[in-house]
């Protein structure tokens, strides 16, 4: 069907203290990359260590899922933080995950923003620049996952970073290829079969049907690798991931990790 390779990633490790997220092993078994919460919207040191160890044991890539400092809002609220402070916040989060990844015998191999920061960086030059600058400071070899042709996408490419086009298996799209707000009644795609078919469509054509039944381009024509995301807190996430993985493989799509260990 396509010469493109695909990584299936999930936002994971998003508990905090006694507010756990249950057994994430089944979902981790279906993905090739784990976007691990780094403590600002979710995740505490115990969860960071446990989730890194789970990913390492399964050969799953570890990615830093960075956020605004917003535990109360789960990182889903915009915070008008100054860009230099946001740079330091992101460096702090990536650094914490790097330490736990190293202990687990793996390493952080990419970066992805979470929630409001992800959506804001698609349009906000200052906050997109903060993500790029943090990566440049720590390791410019780290790819950044983001939506195609957004402000973050273009700033990352201009800086010489690798941007991986990310699409969403379990979320609906606007006509301009951005995510429909979670407040929208059709924000989530919960039917595993429909989600899997949509994933195959995005790989094959680079477009997805929006909530208004328009074709939205979500992948550039020259993209060699596509990052596909499923949120761990989506109802039926394991089933969605399993059916998507199965249908992609049936269509000859190669599933890969994001990045690869480069040290040690």
């Amino acid at each position: 069907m396509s010469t493109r390779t695909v990584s299936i990633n999930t936002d994971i490790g998003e508990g905090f203290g006694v507010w756990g997220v249950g057994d994430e092993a089944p979902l981790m078994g279906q993905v090739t990359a784990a976007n691990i919460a780094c403590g600002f919207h979710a995740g505490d040191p115990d969860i960071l260590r446990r989730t890194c160890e789970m990913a390492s044991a399964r050969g799953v890539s570890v990615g830093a899922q960075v956020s605004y400092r917003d535990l109360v809002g789960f990182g889903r609220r915009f915070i008008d933080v100054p860009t230099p402070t946001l740079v330091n916040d992101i460096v702090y989060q990536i650094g914490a995950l790097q330490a736990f990844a190293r202990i687990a015998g793996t390493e952080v191999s990419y970066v992805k923003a979470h929630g409001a920061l992800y959506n804001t960086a698609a349009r906000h030059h200052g906050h997109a620049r903060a993500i790029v600058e943090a990566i440049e400071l720590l390791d410019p070899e780290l790819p950044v996952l983001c939506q195609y042709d957004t402000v973050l996408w273009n700033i990352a490419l201009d800086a010489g970073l690798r941007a991986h086009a990310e699409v969403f298996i379990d979320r609906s799209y606007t006509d301009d290829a951005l995510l429909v707000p979670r407040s929208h009644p059709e924000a989530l795609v919960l039917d595993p079969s429909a989600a899997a078919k949509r994933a195959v469509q995005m790989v094959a054509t680079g477009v997805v049907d929006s909530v208004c039944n328009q074709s939205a381009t979500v992948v550039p024509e020259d993209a060699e690798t596509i990052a596909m995301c499923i949120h761990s807190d989506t109802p039926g996430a394991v089933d969605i991931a399993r059916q998507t993985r199965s249908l992609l493989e049936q269509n000859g799509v190669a599933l890969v990790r994001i990045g690869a260990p480069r040290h040690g």
Side-chain angles (χ1 to χ4, degrees), residues 43-120:
D44 59 36
D46 288 343
I47 293 174
L48 264 69
R49 182 164 184 178
R50 181 171 68 245
T51 311
C52 283
E53 289 173 347
M54 190 188 308
S56 181
R58 289 162 177 75
V60 171
S61 296
V62 168
Q65 187 192 177
V66 298
S67 171
Y68 292 127
R69 189 188 295 270
D70 182 28
L71 279 174
V72 173
F74 195 61
R76 288 181 175 160
R77 302 180 298 183
F78 170 73
I79 297 180
D80 193 13
V81 57
T83 297
T85 298
L86 184 56
V87 171
N88 292 334
D89 283 350
I90 295 170
V91 167
Y92 184 98
Q93 292 175 78
I94 298 172
L97 189 64
Q98 284 177 325
F100 284 111
R102 186 177 301 170
I103 291 170
T106 185
E107 64 184 350
V108 173
S109 61
Y110 64 96
V111 175
K112 174 188 171 177
H114 163 82
L117 179 56
Y118 187 99
N119 293 326
T120 299

Side-chain angles (χ1 to χ4, degrees), residues 50-246:
R50 181 171 68 245
T51 311
C52 283
E53 289 173 347
M54 190 188 308
S56 181
R58 289 162 177 75
V60 171
S61 296
V62 168
Q65 187 192 177
V66 298
S67 171
Y68 292 127
R69 189 188 295 270
D70 182 28
L71 279 174
V72 173
F74 195 61
R76 288 181 175 160
R77 302 180 298 183
F78 170 73
I79 297 180
D80 193 13
V81 57
T83 297
T85 298
L86 184 56
V87 171
N88 292 334
D89 283 350
I90 295 170
V91 167
Y92 184 98
Q93 292 175 78
I94 298 172
L97 189 64
Q98 284 177 325
F100 284 111
R102 186 177 301 170
I103 291 170
T106 185
E107 64 184 350
V108 173
S109 61
Y110 64 96
V111 175
K112 174 188 171 177
H114 163 82
L117 179 56
Y118 187 99
N119 293 326
T120 299
R123 296 186 169 115
H124 190 298
H125 284 78
H127 288 194
R129 180 63 213 166
I131 296 169
V132 169
E133 185 174 336
I135 296 172
E136 288 177 312
L137 288 169
L138 280 175
D139 186 350
E141 293 299 313
L142 292 175
V144 58
L145 270 57
C146 57
Q147 290 172 287
Y148 166 59
D149 203 27
T150 55
V151 169
L152 177 54
W153 172 276
N154 291 316
I155 289 178
L157 292 183
D158 287 346
L161 300 183
R162 287 180 292 161
H164 286 199
E166 184 173 38
V167 298
F168 290 81
I169 301 168
D170 58 353
R171 292 292 306 278
S172 297
Y173 281 86
T174 64
D175 292 349
D176 55 356
L178 297 176
L179 296 181
V180 168
R182 284 183 174 269
S183 58
H184 192 285
E186 299 177 43
L188 298 179
V189 179
L190 300 177
D191 181 339
S193 176
K197 291 176 182 176
R198 213 173 64 130
V200 171
Q201 174 194 357
M202 287 188 281
V203 174
T205 67
V207 303
V208 66
D209 294 334
S210 75
V211 289
C212 296
N213 294 317
Q214 300 297 313
S215 292
T217 300
V218 291
V219 179
E221 291 183 4
D222 60 350
E224 296 179 358
T225 301
I226 304 170
M228 293 197 149
C229 180
I230 169 101
H231 295 88
S232 63
D233 61 349
T234 295
V238 176
D239 235 9
I240 294 172
R242 183 182 296 115
Q243 290 199 35
T244 297
R245 179 170 188 145
S246 175

Side-chain angles (χ1 to χ4, degrees), residues 4-30:
R4 290 169 170 163
T5 57
V6 169
S7 62
I8 300 178
N9 69 81
T10 186
D11 295 350
I12 202 165
E14 292 183 313
F16 194 86
V18 299
W19 304 106
V21 288
D23 182 8
E24 296 188 308
L27 182 56
M28 189 75 86
Q30 297 299 323

